[in-house]
Structures are given as structure tokens and as C-alpha cells.
Amino acid sequence: MINEPSTPQRLRIAVVGGGYAGTRLARSLDSVADVTVIEQRDRFLHNIAAIRAVTDPSWLDRILLPYDTLLPKGKVVRAEVTGVEPGSVTLASGQKLEADYVVLAPGSSYALPFKPAKDEGHVAYRRRVHAAHDRLRVARAVTIIGAGPVGIELAGEIKHAFPHTEVTLLSAHDRLLPGYSPRLDRRLRKALAGKGVHLKLGHRALDGVDALEPFGPATVHLEGGGTVAADLVFAVGGATPNTGFLAGTPGVELGKGRIRVDEHLQLPGMSHVYAIGDAALTADTLTIGGIERQVPYLEQHLKGLIAGTGGQTQPYQAWKSPVIVVPVGPDGGASQLPASLVMGRWVTRLLKGRTLMVGKARRNLGLGAEV
Ligand SMILES: Cc1cc2nc3c(=O)[nH]c(=O)nc-3n(C[C@H](O)[C@H](O)[C@H](O)COP(=O)(O)OP(=O)(O)OC[C@H]3O[C@@H](n4cnc5c(N)ncnc54)[C@H](O)[C@@H]3O)c2cc1C
């Protein structure tokens, strides 16, 4: 056991994962409980800006952020969690860390280098981004497999940084971001066309779809015939929940790889254990938008339980219509805001395109303004 026994006044909360969800929740509870964040990496990666870091690695200095100031009272332990049971989590070392409440926020993995590899340190991650950048800089033709938000943003960033590079964006769907308003699709198509991106909708790639790293030169075959040749191919098909360590755990149910939760974000089979973020099976999309709702909800719930006044009485409600901000380069793009309001480049640039929300990420970690 590596932490002290609790006093009745200060309960212990273990947060598994120091990504967007885990850090925000941990910081919000630091004044009312003994909070420990267990995170396998040595830096927080503000991965919203990782796409631009591939086209301009100077952004790396701004997006790999230390955990030192996250918790004025609590602590961040660098370790991999390998198990969870009521009242404790187990670390890869075999140590158990006892807790009155456990919050699972292990998030998701993504194609490299848009998130780091499993427990990759910041030095190795920097090298990985620079290596991708070096390949990108000399590529004359780039193909992107997958026109989700990351694929769209990547196409826009590449055309902004390297206007003469041919960029082809492939999607198996016949419209962009099918889960969102058709107006968003139209605006984004226009923005991509304006940048000179070749958009191939309704074209399923047959090669390299699951590639974890950029590869090439390669010829990508398309279902139904046709090929696209490229010096460099990025496959950005989507996120994979980091829940392998929970498979087979009594009391943990996984659905589509995500952790099943009840209406209070608690695991139905394990009381006092909750899940939030990309790894939790809520009706939210795998975005920060979902976290913006889940964290305040669980914060209030746990604060009520800790104070003895009772948790939330209302069930958690995901966004009714999902929100998303999709820059196409620093000055272009389109966004869908609450109530399905679709906005164009000015709002997108203001919300995200220019600054990529670095200031907010720093504030969430207790860091001051950039110098
Ligand atoms: C390139 C890119 C750009 C994106 N841009 C946007 C955007 O602009 N807007 C938006 O809303 N969403 C965006 N997203 C999605 C967004 O990043 C995710 O929704 C978000 O990362 C989810 O946060 P999280 O805290 O749940 O998980 P994560 O951010 O994945 O964090 C989970 C953390 O848990 C740690 N961890 C995992 N397992 C263990 C373990 N067993 N032991 C210890 N630690 C562990 C991981 O190391 C990681 O630090 C983007 C995603 C990508 C890949």
C-alpha cells in the first residue's frame, strides 16, 4: 500500500489517467479530498494541437505540459494501472493504492504521432513528431485515410504549411462527419476545396487502413477499383479505448471497448468506481465536448457524497446534439455549436484555429500564461 489511511474528513480519490478528463476532475476535487492521479506518461499532451505540431514542430514546446502544478494538495504518480477492484487500484509494480472512490479516465489511443505511444516519455514523443515532420516536408503527394475531424484538420494544416503538396483525403462515407449537421458537411467541403485538398468521398481504402504510423511511398487501392499513389500516407481512422487492462475484471463490463456506466457515471457492477472521458460508454462522442459535461456532473456528485449531503439526484445527460470545432488551417474551417448551430471560419478561427486552446489547457493544469 502506498498511501496513508484516510481520515473521515478527507476521503481518498484515485483517478486513473491524467488526460483531459482525469486532470480536470482531479483538480476540481483537490480541495475536498486526498486526490491521487495515476498516469503512465511523464507529460500531459495537449493533443488538440498535435496535428499542427506535425506540420510545425515548434508547437511541441507549447503542448507537452508538466503535471507539477496540477494538484496543490494531491499528487500525480507516474505508473501504469493494471487492475481495479472495489477500494483500490493495482499498479504494474504490484503495489496497491487504496481509495474510497476510484475514477477511471484511461482515455483512448490514436494513430501516431497524434497521441504518444502507450507510456512514451516526452523526449521520445518529440523525436517521433520530428521524424513524421521530416517525412512530410519532402513529400510531394500525401494521402489521408479517414475524413473524421483529425483527417480534415490534418489536410488543412498540411495545405497551409506546404501549399504545393498534393493532399488527397479519402473517406468511405459519402459525406463529411455524418453524425453532424449536413450544413457542417457543406461548409467543410467548401473550406477543403478552397485549400486545394482533393476530397474523395465514398471511396473505401483497402490498404493501410489500420496502420499505426505514417508510411510510404505507397499505392492505396480503393474498393470498387482505382488507386491513389502517395509519398506519405496517414491512416487516421479513429480512437481505440484504453481499456485492455480491464478486460475480464469482475464488475467491469465493456461495450464497444468502452466501460459501461450507469446514470451517475458509476460502474453498475462496482460501487464507488466511476468512469469518464473517451473510455466511458456514454452517449457523448469521443471529444472534449463530452468531458466538458461529464466532469462538472461527476464533480458535483462526488462533492455531495463526500460532504454527506448526497450525490446528484438527476441522471447524467449527454449532449443532445454533439458539438465540434474543425479548423481547416489556422484561418479556415467550420464548427457545430449547441442546438446544431453551424458557424464558419471566423468563429472557428476564434474558438480554436489560431490558438488551438493552449491557454485553456495550461489553466486546466494550474500553469500560468505562456511567457
Ligand atoms: C489529434 C487529435 C486531435 C483532437 N482534437 C480534438 C478537438 O479539437 N476537440 C475535441 O473535443 N476533441 C479532440 N480530440 C479528441 C480528444 O483528444 C479526446 O476526446 C480526449 O483526449 C479524451 O480525453 P480523456 O481524458 O478521456 O483521454 P486521454 O486524453 O486519452 O487521456 C487518458 C490518459 O490516461 C492515461 N492512461 C491510459 N491507461 C492508463 C493506465 N492503465 N495507467 C495509467 N495511465 C493510463 C494515458 O496515458 C493518458 O494520458 C482530438 C483527438 C486527437 C487524437
Side-chain angles (χ1 to χ4, degrees):
M1 300 297 174
I2 60 172
N3 54 350
E4 300 296 314
S6 73
T7 62
Q9 290 78 26
R10 278 184 80 78
L11 297 178
R12 296 157 301 175
I13 300 181
V15 179
V16 178
Y20 291 97
T23 53
R24 280 200 52 191
L25 184 78
R27 194 165 161 80
S28 74
L29 296 171
D30 192 46
S31 59
V32 298
D34 282 343
V35 179
T36 303
V37 173
I38 308 111
E39 166 57 51
Q40 61 196 356
R41 298 184 188 137
D42 61 356
R43 291 282 194 285
F44 177 90
L45 173 68
H46 176 48
N47 64 247
I48 286 180
I51 302 167
R52 191 166 298 164
V54 175
T55 59
D56 176 2
S58 71
W59 276 77
L60 283 168
D61 290 335
R62 313 175 65 195
I63 65 173
L64 283 160
L65 302 172
Y67 285 109
D68 309 354
T69 51
L70 175 67
L71 301 176
K73 296 188 171 170
K75 57 181 182 286
V76 180
V77 172
R78 187 177 182 196
E80 181 189 355
V81 171
T82 52
V84 57
E85 44 282 306
S88 69
V89 296
T90 306
L91 312 186
S93 62
Q95 282 180 306
K96 277 192 191 294
L97 195 154
E98 285 191 334
D100 301 290
Y101 294 98
V102 174
V103 180
L104 301 171
S108 61
S109 303
Y110 207 85
L112 303 165
F114 302 107
K115 279 188 171 182
K118 195 171 171 232
D119 53 0
E120 189 167 54
H122 71 284
V123 176
Y125 179 69
R126 278 171 176 276
R127 271 201 300 271
R128 191 187 287 286
V129 172
H130 276 282
H133 173 77
D134 290 346
R135 295 190 69 186
L136 182 58
R137 210 159 29 90
V138 296
R140 282 164 305 164
V142 172
T143 292
I144 301 168
I145 302 174
V150 174
I152 296 169
E153 276 193 48
L154 179 61
E157 293 294 334
I158 295 174
K159 284 305 276 186
H160 176 78
F162 308 107
H164 300 298
T165 303
E166 292 288 318
V167 177
T168 303
L169 180 57
L170 294 177
S171 174
H173 300 287
D174 53 13
R175 55 176 270 211
L176 292 171
L177 306 183
Y180 294 81
S181 162
R183 290 193 304 281
L184 185 68
D185 166 47
R186 285 198 291 277
R187 292 243 190 181
L188 286 170
R189 283 193 208 203
K190 205 169 153 197
L192 289 166
K195 283 271 183 197
V197 173
H198 306 300
L199 183 58
K200 280 181 166 284
L201 295 176
H203 287 274
R204 186 179 297 279
L206 297 176
D207 309 298
V209 181
D210 296 324
L212 270 183
E213 297 192 62
F215 64 96
T219 299
V220 176
H221 293 82
L222 305 176
E223 195 177 71
T227 57
V228 187
D231 303 311
L232 192 59
V233 181
F234 292 90
V236 286
T240 307
N242 293 326
T243 51
F245 71 104
L246 296 168
T249 303
V252 180
E253 270 181 69
L254 300 179
K256 301 177 196 159
R258 295 162 82 191
I259 306 160
R260 280 194 200 284
V261 289
D262 67 13
E263 71 275 19
H264 293 124
L265 304 176
Q266 184 173 218
L267 275 62
M270 216 186 271
S271 76
H272 292 198
V273 179
Y274 296 80
I276 50 172
D278 278 8
L281 186 57
T282 66
D284 289 312
T285 51
L286 274 62
T287 61
I288 313 292
I291 291 167
E292 300 275 357
R293 274 177 97 83
Q294 293 164 22
V295 167
Y297 179 91
L298 189 54
E299 174 193 347
Q300 289 313 315
H301 186 65
L302 291 175
K303 279 184 172 169
L305 293 178
I306 289 166
T309 53
Q312 299 265 17
T313 50
Q314 297 299 316
Y316 173 71
Q317 289 197 332
W319 285 100
K320 283 201 173 55
S321 72
V323 290
I324 195 156
V325 184
V326 191
V328 175
D331 297 316
S335 306
Q336 181 168 322
L337 304 181
S340 299
L341 186 65
V342 173
M343 305 299 285
R345 58 194 290 244
W346 291 106
V347 169
T348 305
R349 167 193 147 115
L350 197 71
L351 290 177
K352 182 171 150 191
R354 280 270 141 177
T355 62
L356 296 174
M357 301 174 174
V358 169
K360 187 172 181 192
R362 292 182 64 87
R363 281 194 299 282
N364 287 341
L365 289 166
L367 294 161
E370 282 184 280
V371 283

